[in-house]
Amino acid sequence: MIASLATRVTRMGVVLEPNGDASEAEGVLNPGAARTRSGTLLLYPRMVGAGNCSCVGMVEVNGTFDAPVYQRIGMALRPEATYELRDARDGQGCEDPRITFVALLDLYVMAYTAFGAVGPR
């Protein structure tokens, strides 16, 4: 049986673009998202700097549905662990985050792809 969901999709255009910061020189893409306990929407985009070095940023979304305001508030993950590092000219980092709240633990959990010397993990 095929399930269906009655919904409406509204294309709102590009949400985030590089802002000129070196940590975003090669792109801002593929964000994960989660709401804080108070209901604020946070985006966690892959921010790609020179040499394909990826970090996971944090962006707070405020404003209204029709006029959202995106404010960069920092980095959630930077490549530090050995499985996230390699020769920076070949690319390295933390990519493609997905975030969820685990009520049983009362914690937010993030899964992401690490890209290091042995490839993606």
Side-chain angles (χ1 to χ4, degrees), residues 91-114:
Q92 66 178 5
C94 308
E95 306 176 358
D96 305 331
R98 298 297 174 256
I99 303 89
T100 193
F101 181 73
V102 179
L104 184 64
L105 300 174
D106 193 34
L107 293 172
Y108 288 87
V109 176
M110 178 185 289
Y112 68 99
T113 301

Side-chain angles (χ1 to χ4, degrees), residues 77-88:
L77 287 173
R78 294 180 187 273
E80 297 174 353
T82 55
Y83 51 84
E84 300 166 342
L85 299 170
R86 65 191 255 163
D87 185 329

Side-chain angles (χ1 to χ4, degrees), residues 11-76:
R11 292 190 185 273
M12 298 183 69
V14 175
V15 174
L16 293 170
E17 293 182 297
N19 66 1
D21 188 89
S23 66
E24 304 178 13
E26 293 188 20
V28 177
L29 51 134
N30 199 17
R35 290 206 178 268
T36 66
R37 287 180 170 88
S38 64
T40 301
L41 180 62
L42 295 178
L43 299 179
Y44 295 89
R46 173 183 173 198
M47 296 181 157
V48 188
N52 194 27
C53 180
S54 297
C55 298
V56 175
M58 292 177 62
V59 176
E60 186 174 284
V61 183
N62 293 298
T64 65
F65 179 80
D66 294 327
V69 176
Y70 303 95
Q71 180 182 356
R72 287 159 171 83
I73 58 175
M75 293 290 182

